[in-house]
Amino acid sequence: MSAFSRSYNPFAEEEEEEAAAMGGGEAGGGGGRQLYLQQEVLRRSAAAADSTTRSLSLLYESERVGVAASEELVRQGEALKRTEQMVDKMDQDLKTSQRHINSIKSVWGGLVNYFKAKPPESKPEQNGTSEYYTNSRLKEAMMSSKEQESKYQESHPNLRKLDNSDLVSSVQRDSYSKNQHLRAYHQKIDNNLDEMSSGLSRLKNLALGLQTEIDEQDDMLDRLTKKVETLDINIKSTDKKVRQL
């Protein structure tokens, strides 16, 4: 009969030793897993902070584009205003020319014009002031967005990269101040979200101001088109009278 019992397992002692070693390893690895989770949380917070910073930078850039478009639209409005004034002046000169042509064409008309008092020169219709003024909504929106120019410079990609790298390196050096850095990331995210909310409000005002300005210039274009058409008809009529002299 064998010296060992039937239930004896020659590998049992080795399995027990391995289990004991694994148990000790898990107990010792708990701290390492906790450290890994903390670092993972910090990495995700850093990524979220960097994402909001990039979004904020794009928002500032959108404001710059909107301001540039607004300034170009204002210059276009000034050009339309000058054009309208020139058309009004041409129409006034044309009326004076027609009066002289009528005097030359008819002797009786010339005598009447000679003894008749010269009619006062009527000022051309200006449809408002002679200067062009931007609507108040667009003007205020442009001023508000221009004040953010310094913030756009601060959101330069290289500066953002240096800022985040400093935070990450300090986290890796000091394992006892992770909570402080996590709070700093969360504070940065909150600040960026607040700035984004304000930026979106400014963009909305800028868009509304642009829409108002475009509507006003559309009315100006319609008015100018009618004046040009009328002037063209008068020019053709005057040219026909001159040919009949």
Side-chain angles (χ1 to χ4, degrees):
M1 183 175 180
S2 172
F4 301 102
S5 62
R6 294 180 180 179
S7 61
Y8 174 75
N9 185 356
F11 302 102
E13 295 179 359
E14 295 180 2
E15 292 177 355
E16 292 177 359
E17 291 177 358
E18 291 178 357
M22 291 177 63
E26 291 179 356
R33 179 173 178 79
Q34 183 178 3
L35 180 61
Y36 169 77
L37 292 176
Q38 290 176 351
Q39 292 177 347
E40 184 65 21
V41 169
L42 287 172
R43 281 194 293 268
R44 291 180 180 272
S45 298
D50 188 64
S51 176
T52 56
T53 302
R54 287 195 302 270
S55 300
L56 188 60
S57 178
L58 292 174
L59 190 62
Y60 289 146
E61 186 175 357
S62 299
E63 279 192 84
R64 291 188 66 188
V65 174
V67 169
S70 301
E71 291 175 344
E72 182 63 29
L73 192 62
V74 169
R75 286 192 291 269
Q76 176 178 303
E78 293 173 350
L80 286 174
K81 187 66 175 181
R82 289 193 299 269
T83 303
E84 186 177 16
Q85 292 173 355
M86 292 174 60
V87 171
D88 291 337
K89 182 65 168 57
M90 291 173 64
D91 183 66
Q92 184 65 29
D93 294 340
L94 189 60
K95 289 179 180 178
T96 303
S97 300
Q98 288 176 345
R99 180 174 175 272
H100 292 319
I101 291 173
N102 292 333
S103 300
I104 297 173
K105 189 175 180 180
S106 171
V107 176
W108 175 252
L111 292 173
V112 170
N113 288 333
Y114 179 79
F115 290 104
K116 186 177 180 181
K118 183 179 180 182
E121 293 185 359
S122 59
K123 294 183 179 180
E125 182 184 359
Q126 298 293 341
N127 296 291
T129 59
S130 58
E131 296 182 2
Y132 181 80
Y133 292 100
T134 311
N135 68 84
S136 58
R137 171 177 286 180
L138 180 60
K139 187 176 180 180
E140 292 175 359
M142 289 173 62
M143 291 177 60
S144 178
S145 294
K146 284 183 178 179
E147 292 175 356
Q148 311 302 317
E149 182 68 22
S150 60
K151 293 184 179 180
Y152 174 80
Q153 299 296 336
E154 293 173 359
S155 64
H156 191 275
N158 291 336
L159 298 179
R160 294 202 311 270
K161 183 177 180 181
L162 290 174
D163 182 33
N164 289 337
S165 63
D166 291 340
L167 287 173
V168 173
S169 62
S170 60
V171 168
Q172 293 176 350
R173 290 195 303 268
D174 188 0
S175 60
Y176 295 98
S177 61
K178 290 185 175 62
N179 291 335
Q180 295 179 2
H181 291 291
L182 186 60
R183 285 195 295 269
Y185 280 130
H186 288 174
Q187 184 64 40
K188 184 177 182 181
I189 292 173
D190 291 340
N191 293 339
N192 287 345
L193 291 176
D194 291 339
E195 287 292 332
M196 289 171 65
S197 177
S198 301
L200 289 173
S201 178
R202 291 191 301 271
L203 277 177
K204 177 183 176 182
N205 293 333
L206 197 61
L208 292 174
L210 283 169
Q211 183 62 47
T212 303
E213 183 69 18
I214 290 173
D215 291 340
E216 292 180 357
Q217 291 192 18
D218 282 343
D219 295 338
M220 188 184 298
L221 281 171
D222 293 338
R223 187 170 63 244
L224 183 58
T225 300
K226 293 178 181 179
K227 288 183 177 182
V228 170
E229 291 175 352
T230 302
L231 182 64
D232 182 63
I233 294 173
N234 292 336
I235 289 174
K236 290 180 180 179
S237 175
T238 303
D239 180 69
K240 183 177 180 180
K241 289 179 180 180
V242 170
R243 293 177 182 275
Q244 292 176 352
L245 291 178

